[in-house]
Amino acid sequence: MSKKIMNCVIIGSGPAGYSAAIYAARADLNPILFLGFQPGGQLTVTTDVDNYPGFPIGISGNELMENCKKQALRFNTLIIHKTITEVYLSNQKGGVHFINIENKENIESKGIIIATGSSPKFLGLDKEKKFIGLGVSFCATCDGYFHKGKDVAVVGGGDTALEEASYLSKICKNVYLFVRKNYFRASKALQNRILKKKNINIFFCYQVIEIIGDRFLEGIKIMNNKDKNTKILFISGLFISIGHTPNTELFKNQLNLDKNGYIIVERGGTSTNKPGVFAAGDVQDPIYRQAITSAGTGCMAALDLERYLYLY
Protein backbone atom coordinates (compact mmCIF):
# COMPACT_ATOMS: atom_id res chain seq x y z
CA MET A 1 0.00 0.00 0.00
CA SER A 2 1.41 3.36 -0.99
CA LYS A 3 2.33 5.79 1.77
CA LYS A 4 1.22 8.75 -0.26
CA ILE A 5 -1.69 10.82 1.07
CA MET A 6 -4.93 9.46 -0.33
CA ASN A 7 -8.03 11.39 -1.38
CA CYS A 8 -10.71 8.94 -0.29
CA VAL A 9 -10.84 6.17 2.27
CA ILE A 10 -14.19 4.42 2.74
CA ILE A 11 -14.69 2.58 6.02
CA GLY A 12 -17.33 -0.12 5.68
CA SER A 13 -19.06 -1.82 2.80
CA GLY A 14 -22.74 -2.49 2.18
CA PRO A 15 -24.89 -0.35 -0.14
CA ALA A 16 -23.54 2.93 1.28
CA GLY A 17 -19.87 1.99 1.07
CA TYR A 18 -20.04 0.45 -2.40
CA SER A 19 -22.15 3.29 -3.78
CA ALA A 20 -19.64 5.81 -2.41
CA ALA A 21 -16.80 3.79 -3.95
CA ILE A 22 -18.41 3.69 -7.39
CA TYR A 23 -19.02 7.45 -7.45
CA ALA A 24 -15.63 8.31 -5.95
CA ALA A 25 -13.80 6.04 -8.40
CA ARG A 26 -15.61 7.52 -11.39
CA ALA A 27 -14.54 10.95 -10.14
CA ASP A 28 -10.88 9.80 -10.18
CA LEU A 29 -10.54 9.99 -6.41
CA ASN A 30 -8.88 6.53 -6.34
CA PRO A 31 -10.85 5.29 -3.33
CA ILE A 32 -9.71 2.62 -0.91
CA LEU A 33 -12.56 0.66 0.68
CA PHE A 34 -12.11 -1.32 3.88
CA LEU A 35 -14.66 -4.14 4.10
CA GLY A 36 -14.72 -4.28 7.89
CA PHE A 37 -15.97 -7.08 10.14
CA GLN A 38 -19.14 -7.74 8.08
CA PRO A 39 -18.33 -7.45 4.37
CA GLY A 40 -21.43 -6.41 2.49
CA GLY A 41 -23.27 -5.28 5.61
CA GLN A 42 -26.59 -6.55 6.93
CA LEU A 43 -27.88 -7.46 3.46
CA THR A 44 -25.54 -10.46 3.44
CA VAL A 45 -27.71 -12.10 6.10
CA THR A 46 -30.91 -11.38 4.16
CA THR A 47 -32.25 -14.07 1.84
CA ASP A 48 -34.23 -12.16 -0.79
CA VAL A 49 -34.34 -8.44 -1.51
CA ASP A 50 -37.56 -7.54 -3.30
CA ASN A 51 -37.66 -3.76 -2.89
CA TYR A 52 -34.40 -2.65 -4.53
CA PRO A 53 -35.16 -0.98 -7.90
CA GLY A 54 -33.97 -2.73 -11.02
CA PHE A 55 -34.58 -6.32 -9.94
CA PRO A 56 -38.16 -7.17 -10.94
CA ILE A 57 -38.00 -10.74 -9.63
CA GLY A 58 -35.88 -9.86 -6.60
CA ILE A 59 -32.29 -10.74 -5.77
CA SER A 60 -30.53 -12.34 -2.83
CA GLY A 61 -28.79 -9.98 -0.46
CA ASN A 62 -25.45 -11.70 -1.00
CA GLU A 63 -25.76 -11.50 -4.78
CA LEU A 64 -26.72 -7.83 -4.67
CA MET A 65 -23.67 -6.99 -2.56
CA GLU A 66 -21.40 -9.13 -4.71
CA ASN A 67 -22.66 -7.24 -7.79
CA CYS A 68 -21.95 -3.94 -6.05
CA LYS A 69 -18.46 -5.13 -5.18
CA LYS A 70 -17.78 -6.12 -8.80
CA GLN A 71 -19.02 -2.75 -9.99
CA ALA A 72 -16.72 -0.92 -7.57
CA LEU A 73 -13.80 -3.08 -8.71
CA ARG A 74 -14.63 -2.33 -12.34
CA PHE A 75 -13.76 1.31 -11.68
CA ASN A 76 -10.52 0.34 -9.90
CA THR A 77 -11.59 0.75 -6.29
CA LEU A 78 -8.96 -0.82 -4.06
CA ILE A 79 -10.90 -3.15 -1.73
CA ILE A 80 -9.11 -4.36 1.39
CA HIS A 81 -10.41 -7.15 3.62
CA LYS A 82 -9.16 -5.64 6.85
CA THR A 83 -10.62 -3.70 9.75
CA ILE A 84 -9.79 -0.19 10.89
CA THR A 85 -8.72 -0.10 14.53
CA GLU A 86 -8.19 3.62 15.17
CA VAL A 87 -8.74 6.95 13.46
CA TYR A 88 -7.32 10.37 14.23
CA LEU A 89 -9.40 13.04 12.56
CA SER A 90 -8.02 16.46 11.71
CA ASN A 91 -9.84 19.65 12.68
CA GLN A 92 -8.28 21.61 9.81
CA LYS A 93 -9.89 22.20 6.43
CA GLY A 94 -7.66 20.46 3.93
CA GLY A 95 -6.02 18.57 6.80
CA VAL A 96 -4.91 14.95 6.78
CA HIS A 97 -6.64 12.19 8.71
CA PHE A 98 -4.68 9.24 10.11
CA ILE A 99 -6.09 5.72 9.97
CA ASN A 100 -4.64 2.67 11.72
CA ILE A 101 -5.31 -0.81 10.35
CA GLU A 102 -5.53 -4.12 12.23
CA ASN A 103 -2.05 -5.31 11.21
CA LYS A 104 -0.36 -2.15 12.53
CA GLU A 105 -0.24 -0.50 9.11
CA ASN A 106 -1.47 3.04 8.76
CA ILE A 107 -2.74 5.25 5.99
CA GLU A 108 -3.28 8.97 5.54
CA SER A 109 -6.13 10.57 3.65
CA LYS A 110 -7.63 13.99 3.03
CA GLY A 111 -11.09 12.49 2.89
CA ILE A 112 -12.95 9.77 4.76
CA ILE A 113 -16.40 8.33 4.11
CA ILE A 114 -17.82 6.41 7.07
CA ALA A 115 -20.24 3.64 6.08
CA THR A 116 -19.96 1.32 9.07
CA GLY A 117 -23.73 0.81 9.39
CA SER A 118 -25.60 -0.32 12.48
CA SER A 119 -26.23 -3.63 14.19
CA PRO A 120 -29.67 -4.83 15.33
CA LYS A 121 -30.17 -5.60 18.99
CA PHE A 122 -30.94 -9.26 19.62
CA LEU A 123 -33.15 -10.96 22.17
CA GLY A 124 -30.38 -13.41 22.98
CA LEU A 125 -32.27 -16.57 22.03
CA ASP A 126 -31.02 -19.79 20.47
CA LYS A 127 -31.68 -19.95 16.71
CA GLU A 128 -32.25 -16.18 16.59
CA LYS A 129 -29.26 -15.50 14.36
CA LYS A 130 -29.51 -18.85 12.59
CA PHE A 131 -33.03 -18.08 11.39
CA ILE A 132 -32.38 -14.56 10.12
CA GLY A 133 -33.98 -14.59 6.68
CA LEU A 134 -35.71 -17.85 7.58
CA GLY A 135 -38.56 -16.29 9.54
CA VAL A 136 -36.63 -13.96 11.82
CA SER A 137 -36.30 -10.37 10.61
CA PHE A 138 -35.38 -6.92 11.85
CA CYS A 139 -37.15 -4.98 9.07
CA ALA A 140 -40.85 -5.23 8.22
CA THR A 141 -40.63 -3.14 5.06
CA CYS A 142 -37.82 -5.41 3.84
CA ASP A 143 -39.34 -8.80 4.63
CA GLY A 144 -43.01 -8.29 5.45
CA TYR A 145 -44.20 -9.14 1.95
CA PHE A 146 -42.92 -12.72 2.33
CA HIS A 147 -45.51 -13.22 5.08
CA LYS A 148 -48.50 -11.80 3.22
CA GLY A 149 -51.75 -13.24 4.53
CA LYS A 150 -50.02 -15.06 7.39
CA ASP A 151 -49.65 -14.60 11.15
CA VAL A 152 -46.59 -12.77 12.42
CA ALA A 153 -45.24 -11.36 15.68
CA VAL A 154 -43.46 -8.13 16.54
CA VAL A 155 -41.33 -7.64 19.66
CA GLY A 156 -40.91 -4.13 21.09
CA GLY A 157 -42.79 -1.20 22.54
CA GLY A 158 -41.16 1.82 20.95
CA ASP A 159 -41.93 3.87 17.86
CA THR A 160 -40.15 1.47 15.50
CA ALA A 161 -41.98 -1.60 16.82
CA LEU A 162 -45.37 0.07 16.49
CA GLU A 163 -44.56 1.32 13.00
CA GLU A 164 -43.51 -2.21 12.03
CA ALA A 165 -46.72 -3.65 13.48
CA SER A 166 -48.83 -1.04 11.69
CA TYR A 167 -47.14 -1.81 8.36
CA LEU A 168 -47.52 -5.57 8.82
CA SER A 169 -51.19 -5.24 9.74
CA LYS A 170 -51.90 -4.11 6.18
CA ILE A 171 -50.55 -7.27 4.57
CA CYS A 172 -50.67 -9.99 7.24
CA LYS A 173 -53.64 -11.86 8.67
CA ASN A 174 -52.80 -11.30 12.34
CA VAL A 175 -50.04 -9.37 14.06
CA TYR A 176 -49.09 -10.26 17.63
CA LEU A 177 -47.28 -7.42 19.40
CA PHE A 178 -45.27 -8.39 22.47
CA VAL A 179 -44.23 -5.67 24.92
CA ARG A 180 -42.00 -6.62 27.84
CA LYS A 181 -43.37 -3.88 30.08
CA ASN A 182 -46.96 -2.92 30.84
CA TYR A 183 -46.85 0.20 28.69
CA PHE A 184 -45.69 1.51 25.32
CA ARG A 185 -42.68 3.79 24.94
CA ALA A 186 -43.96 4.97 21.56
CA SER A 187 -45.63 8.29 20.83
CA LYS A 188 -49.32 8.71 21.65
CA ALA A 189 -50.15 9.16 17.97
CA LEU A 190 -48.65 5.78 17.12
CA GLN A 191 -50.33 4.15 20.10
CA ASN A 192 -53.72 5.45 18.98
CA ARG A 193 -53.12 4.15 15.46
CA ILE A 194 -52.20 0.69 16.75
CA LEU A 195 -55.16 0.48 19.10
CA LYS A 196 -57.53 1.03 16.16
CA LYS A 197 -56.15 -1.93 14.18
CA LYS A 198 -58.45 -4.92 14.58
CA ASN A 199 -55.86 -7.49 13.52
CA ILE A 200 -53.14 -6.33 15.92
CA ASN A 201 -53.19 -8.28 19.18
CA ILE A 202 -51.24 -6.58 21.98
CA PHE A 203 -49.60 -8.59 24.77
CA PHE A 204 -48.24 -6.42 27.57
CA CYS A 205 -45.82 -7.97 30.09
CA TYR A 206 -44.90 -10.75 27.66
CA GLN A 207 -41.58 -11.82 26.24
CA VAL A 208 -40.40 -14.37 23.70
CA ILE A 209 -38.31 -17.04 25.44
CA GLU A 210 -37.83 -19.62 22.69
CA ILE A 211 -37.79 -19.88 18.91
CA ILE A 212 -39.34 -23.07 17.57
CA GLY A 213 -38.37 -24.80 14.33
CA ASP A 214 -35.69 -27.04 12.84
CA ARG A 215 -34.77 -25.51 9.48
CA PHE A 216 -36.79 -22.29 9.74
CA LEU A 217 -39.02 -20.48 12.21
CA GLU A 218 -42.30 -22.27 12.84
CA GLY A 219 -43.38 -20.69 16.11
CA ILE A 220 -42.36 -19.09 19.38
CA LYS A 221 -42.79 -19.77 23.07
CA ILE A 222 -43.89 -16.72 25.04
CA MET A 223 -43.97 -16.09 28.78
CA ASN A 224 -46.08 -13.78 30.91
CA ASN A 225 -43.67 -11.79 33.08
CA LYS A 226 -46.14 -11.61 35.96
CA ASP A 227 -47.44 -15.15 36.46
CA LYS A 228 -44.64 -16.88 34.46
CA ASN A 229 -47.19 -18.87 32.44
CA THR A 230 -45.99 -19.91 28.99
CA LYS A 231 -47.64 -20.84 25.73
CA ILE A 232 -46.66 -21.61 22.16
CA LEU A 233 -47.73 -19.48 19.21
CA PHE A 234 -47.35 -20.72 15.64
CA ILE A 235 -46.35 -17.90 13.31
CA SER A 236 -44.71 -17.34 9.94
CA GLY A 237 -42.46 -14.43 10.89
CA LEU A 238 -40.87 -12.86 13.98
CA PHE A 239 -39.92 -9.20 13.67
CA ILE A 240 -37.55 -8.01 16.40
CA SER A 241 -37.82 -4.26 16.89
CA ILE A 242 -35.94 -3.48 20.08
CA GLY A 243 -33.51 -1.08 18.47
CA HIS A 244 -30.25 -0.85 16.56
CA THR A 245 -26.76 0.07 17.70
CA PRO A 246 -24.81 2.28 15.26
CA ASN A 247 -21.26 1.09 14.69
CA THR A 248 -19.61 4.31 15.83
CA GLU A 249 -17.22 3.11 18.56
CA LEU A 250 -14.25 4.17 16.40
CA PHE A 251 -15.43 7.76 16.27
CA LYS A 252 -16.50 8.52 19.84
CA ASN A 253 -14.99 11.72 21.26
CA GLN A 254 -14.14 12.87 17.74
CA LEU A 255 -17.42 13.12 15.85
CA ASN A 256 -20.68 14.61 17.04
CA LEU A 257 -23.10 11.79 17.82
CA ASP A 258 -26.75 11.93 18.84
CA LYS A 259 -27.99 10.46 22.13
CA ASN A 260 -28.25 7.01 20.54
CA GLY A 261 -24.78 7.10 19.03
CA TYR A 262 -25.66 7.90 15.41
CA ILE A 263 -23.33 10.28 13.56
CA ILE A 264 -24.82 13.74 13.16
CA VAL A 265 -24.53 15.11 9.63
CA GLU A 266 -25.51 18.46 8.23
CA ARG A 267 -29.12 18.72 7.16
CA GLY A 268 -29.55 17.63 3.55
CA GLY A 269 -25.94 16.43 3.27
CA THR A 270 -23.38 14.01 4.65
CA SER A 271 -20.77 16.32 6.22
CA THR A 272 -19.81 15.66 9.83
CA ASN A 273 -18.28 18.14 12.27
CA LYS A 274 -14.79 17.23 10.99
CA PRO A 275 -13.66 18.74 7.66
CA GLY A 276 -13.29 16.10 4.98
CA VAL A 277 -15.16 13.45 6.95
CA PHE A 278 -18.55 12.30 5.65
CA ALA A 279 -21.03 9.68 6.83
CA ALA A 280 -23.42 7.55 4.79
CA GLY A 281 -25.93 4.79 5.35
CA ASP A 282 -27.35 3.42 8.58
CA VAL A 283 -24.53 4.84 10.71
CA GLN A 284 -26.17 8.26 10.30
CA ASP A 285 -29.76 7.17 9.64
CA PRO A 286 -31.85 5.98 12.60
CA ILE A 287 -35.11 6.36 10.67
CA TYR A 288 -35.19 4.68 7.24
CA ARG A 289 -32.41 2.07 7.32
CA GLN A 290 -33.12 0.77 3.80
CA ALA A 291 -30.66 -0.48 1.20
CA ILE A 292 -31.82 2.12 -1.31
CA THR A 293 -31.52 5.06 1.11
CA SER A 294 -28.08 3.84 2.17
CA ALA A 295 -26.96 3.68 -1.44
CA GLY A 296 -28.34 7.18 -1.99
CA THR A 297 -26.39 8.68 0.89
CA GLY A 298 -23.28 6.83 -0.31
CA CYS A 299 -23.62 8.68 -3.59
CA MET A 300 -24.13 11.95 -1.71
CA ALA A 301 -21.04 11.39 0.44
CA ALA A 302 -18.84 10.81 -2.59
CA LEU A 303 -20.15 13.94 -4.30
CA ASP A 304 -19.73 15.95 -1.09
CA LEU A 305 -16.15 14.72 -0.76
CA GLU A 306 -15.37 15.54 -4.38
CA ARG A 307 -16.56 19.13 -3.85
CA TYR A 308 -14.57 19.38 -0.63
CA LEU A 309 -11.34 18.25 -2.29
CA TYR A 310 -11.88 20.76 -5.10
CA LEU A 311 -12.04 23.56 -2.51
CA TYR A 312 -9.21 22.37 -0.27
Side-chain angles (χ1 to χ4, degrees):
M1 192 184 305
S2 174
K3 289 296 182 180
K4 71 177 183 180
I5 297 174
M6 309 304 297
N7 283 320
C8 176
V9 169
I10 301 166
I11 305 175
S13 44
Y18 285 133
S19 177
I22 291 164
Y23 274 82
R26 285 169 55 83
D28 292 329
L29 300 186
N30 301 310
I32 297 176
L33 184 147
F34 287 89
L35 290 172
F37 68 92
Q38 188 178 17
Q42 290 187 55
L43 279 188
T44 58
V45 293
T46 301
T47 49
D48 296 316
V49 178
D50 264 353
N51 55 2
Y52 200 93
F55 299 95
I57 60 172
I59 186 171
S60 76
N62 267 313
E63 187 179 1
L64 177 59
M65 287 301 93
E66 188 60 28
N67 286 347
C68 290
K69 181 180 179 180
K70 290 176 181 177
Q71 192 171 359
L73 287 169
R74 176 187 163 206
F75 296 111
N76 299 317
T77 299
L78 177 58
I79 297 178
I80 300 177
H81 200 320
K82 292 180 181 177
T83 301
I84 303 298
T85 56
E86 292 178 296
V87 294
Y88 300 94
L89 305 178
S90 172
N91 291 312
Q92 302 298 318
K93 291 182 178 179
V96 176
H97 310 290
F98 294 85
I99 302 155
N100 289 341
I101 310 167
E102 62 185 35
N103 58 355
K104 308 301 181 183
E105 288 183 277
N106 59 74
I107 192 170
E108 302 174 9
S109 181
K110 294 180 181 178
I112 294 177
I113 294 174
I114 301 167
T116 48
S118 65
S119 302
K121 294 180 181 179
F122 290 87
L123 297 172
L125 302 176
D126 289 342
K127 302 180 182 178
E128 187 176 9
K129 293 183 179 180
K130 177 183 176 182
F131 286 169
I132 293 175
L134 297 171
V136 174
S137 175
F138 297 86
C139 176
T141 53
C142 305
D143 301 324
Y145 186 81
F146 301 118
H147 305 279
K148 188 175 182 179
K150 301 177 181 179
D151 293 343
V152 298
V154 176
V155 179
D159 283 354
T160 300
L162 269 61
E163 286 172 352
E164 300 265 273
S166 179
Y167 173 83
L168 290 166
S169 70
K170 301 173 185 176
I171 56 177
C172 296
K173 183 179 179 181
N174 289 297
V175 178
Y176 301 98
L177 178 59
F178 297 104
V179 185
R180 182 185 292 266
K181 298 181 179 179
N182 63 350
Y183 60 88
F184 287 125
R185 292 181 291 105
S187 66
K188 288 293 183 182
L190 270 175
Q191 292 183 43
N192 291 334
R193 187 197 308 172
I194 288 294
L195 293 171
K196 293 177 183 178
K197 299 279 188 177
K198 293 182 179 180
N199 65 335
I200 295 181
N201 306 278
I202 302 169
F203 291 79
F204 287 111
C205 299
Y206 270 87
Q207 66 184 92
V208 179
I209 60 171
E210 184 181 342
I211 292 174
I212 298 168
D214 294 323
R215 293 175 298 168
F216 54 87
L217 180 137
E218 297 176 25
I220 54 176
K221 181 183 283 188
I222 57 175
M223 181 181 74
N224 185 298
N225 293 331
K226 292 183 176 180
D227 58 26
K228 305 304 178 183
N229 286 332
T230 63
K231 56 183 174 181
I232 291 176
L233 188 68
F234 293 100
I235 55 172
S236 169
L238 174 64
F239 293 84
I240 301 169
S241 301
I242 57 175
H244 282 70
T245 301
N247 301 320
T248 52
E249 189 66 31
L250 268 179
F251 314 105
K252 285 183 177 179
N253 304 318
Q254 295 194 74
L255 293 181
N256 290 338
L257 309 177
D258 70 11
K259 64 180 181 179
N260 295 315
Y262 289 87
I263 296 174
I264 297 173
V265 295
E266 69 173 13
R267 187 176 181 86
T270 63
S271 300
T272 70
N273 60 299
K274 296 288 186 179
V277 180
F278 306 86
D282 288 8
V283 75
Q284 53 86 60
D285 175 18
I287 300 173
Y288 300 103
R289 294 197 300 270
Q290 300 296 304
I292 187 64
T293 53
S294 291
T297 55
C299 160
M300 292 166 60
L303 295 176
D304 287 343
L305 173 56
E306 183 184 8
R307 294 189 190 100
Y308 170 83
L309 292 172
Y310 177 78
L311 293 173
Y312 303 104

